[in-house]
């Protein structure tokens, strides 16, 4: 077993993430990783049930539980952060915001909002700054909603279409590969709370894979 995966198994066991131990921890982690890498809940369940019976609901639970032990970004000095947002469909369109450290490619924050404006940009930037000891340069597109928020927080910024913004574009490319499994919609009748939980789980596994 690779050292990083071995450490994850040890973290999960020490944190007692799972209340029941009918299935071993390695099996549960494998189920969550397969789902993260693109299989649907039902396909993950079907494939793994060839070895040991597992329901698609169990796969979903394992995926969400594991984010509790995957390490959050560490607060430190950061040079440049690329920020962007994209649209996804729930029962209506919602916006997903993401911030990527351009140097490390680490996702610092991900957040869903029902609208896109200066207030939402300000709230998201405040969340991003929790993982910065300094005030890094921010790279954004020309969305007007960023200007007031960036100036209010006293942040240096640049508008770029490509270049350093490729870091966050790459993140959203990977994210949309996952949402395509749902025809670019989140699972049917997902609540807004469920959407945020799924986003945080995706971010946790994305950063774990990057490491």
């Amino acid at each position: 077993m690779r050292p990083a995966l071995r450490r994850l198994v040890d973290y999960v066991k020490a944190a007692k993430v799972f209340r029941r131990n009918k299935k071993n921890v390695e099996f549960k982690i494998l189920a969550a990783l397969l789902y993260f890498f693109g299989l649907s809940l039902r396909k993950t369940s079907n494939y793994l049930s060839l070895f040991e019976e597992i329901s698609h609901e169990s796969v979903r639970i394992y995926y969400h539980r594991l984010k509790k032990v995957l390490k959050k970004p560490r607060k430190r000095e950061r040079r440049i952060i690329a920020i962007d947002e994209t649209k996804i469909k729930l029962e209506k369109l919602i916006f997903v915001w993401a911030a990527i450290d351009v140097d490390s490619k680490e996702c610092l924050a991900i957040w869903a909002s029902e609208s896109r404006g200066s207030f939402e940009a300000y709230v998201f930037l405040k969340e991003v700054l929790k993982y910065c000891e300094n005030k890094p340069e921010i790279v954004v597109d020309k969305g007007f909603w960023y200007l007031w928020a960036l100036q209010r927080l006293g942040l240096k910024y640049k508008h770029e279409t490509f270049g350093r913004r490729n870091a966050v574009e790459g993140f959203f490319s990977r994210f949309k590969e996952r949402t395509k499994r749902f025809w670019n919609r989140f699972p049917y009748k997902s609540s807004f709370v469920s959407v945020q939980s799924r986003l945080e789980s995706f971010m946790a596994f994305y950063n774990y894979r990057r490491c």
Side-chain angles (χ1 to χ4, degrees):
M1 185 181 294
R2 295 180 63 180
L5 185 55
R6 179 71 264 171
R7 287 197 298 272
L8 178 57
V9 171
D10 292 341
Y11 290 151
V12 172
K13 288 180 177 178
K16 298 180 179 179
V17 174
F18 302 114
R19 297 175 185 175
R20 299 179 180 178
N21 297 306
K22 290 183 179 180
K23 291 181 173 60
N24 64 47
V25 169
E26 290 84 353
F27 188 78
K28 294 174 180 178
I29 291 173
L30 176 60
L33 288 173
L34 286 175
Y35 179 64
F36 169 75
F37 283 117
L39 292 184
S40 67
L41 293 174
R42 292 190 183 278
K43 283 187 176 180
T44 301
S45 169
N46 290 340
Y47 289 151
L48 290 181
S49 290
L50 294 172
F51 307 96
E52 185 175 351
E53 193 67 28
I54 180 174
S55 69
H56 69 276
E57 178 61 14
S58 293
V59 176
R60 186 191 68 80
I61 291 171
Y62 301 159
Y63 181 68
H64 287 286
R65 290 270 179 86
L66 280 171
K67 71 170 175 282
K68 296 179 181 179
V69 296
L70 294 173
K71 291 183 177 180
K72 290 186 177 182
R74 183 169 58 88
K75 185 175 183 178
R76 63 181 180 83
E77 286 202 6
R78 300 183 186 275
R79 189 174 65 92
I80 302 173
I81 295 173
I83 292 177
D84 200 4
E85 77 290 330
T86 191
K87 298 175 184 177
I88 61 172
K89 294 177 183 177
L90 200 52
E91 292 183 358
K92 60 180 180 179
L93 284 176
I94 63 173
F95 300 90
V96 175
W97 307 69
I100 305 293
D101 185 311
V102 170
D103 296 319
S104 69
K105 304 301 185 292
E106 181 181 22
C107 182
L108 303 182
I110 190 166
W111 182 55
S113 65
E114 295 181 334
S115 56
R116 178 178 60 184
S118 297
F119 176 73
E120 287 78 13
Y122 178 81
V123 170
F124 183 64
L125 283 164
K126 287 278 286 185
E127 180 65 23
V128 173
L129 290 176
K130 291 179 182 178
Y131 303 100
C132 307
E133 291 181 345
N134 59 326
K135 286 190 174 182
E137 181 181 355
I138 306 296
V139 178
V140 294
D141 61 17
K142 292 185 178 181
F144 67 87
W145 43 87
Y146 289 114
L147 185 59
W148 176 83
L150 289 163
Q151 292 176 344
R152 177 79 176 178
L153 292 168
L155 294 169
K156 296 185 297 180
Y157 62 92
K158 284 190 177 179
H159 295 133
E160 291 186 9
T161 303
F162 301 105
R164 294 174 297 181
R165 277 190 69 249
N166 285 342
V168 71
E169 292 292 341
F171 173 84
F172 274 132
S173 177
R174 182 71 184 89
F175 173 73
K176 287 181 178 180
E177 286 177 11
R178 175 103 282 283
T179 60
K180 282 179 182 177
R181 299 288 178 176
F182 311 119
W183 302 95
N184 288 321
R185 296 177 66 97
F186 264 72
Y188 184 58
K189 291 187 177 179
S190 291
S191 67
F192 204 81
V193 172
S194 176
V195 169
Q196 184 61 38
S197 179
R198 284 177 178 272
L199 293 177
E200 290 170 1
S201 294
F202 181 86
M203 169 182 155
F205 277 95
Y206 175 88
N207 284 339
Y208 170 74
R209 178 173 180 263
R210 179 194 57 80
C211 291

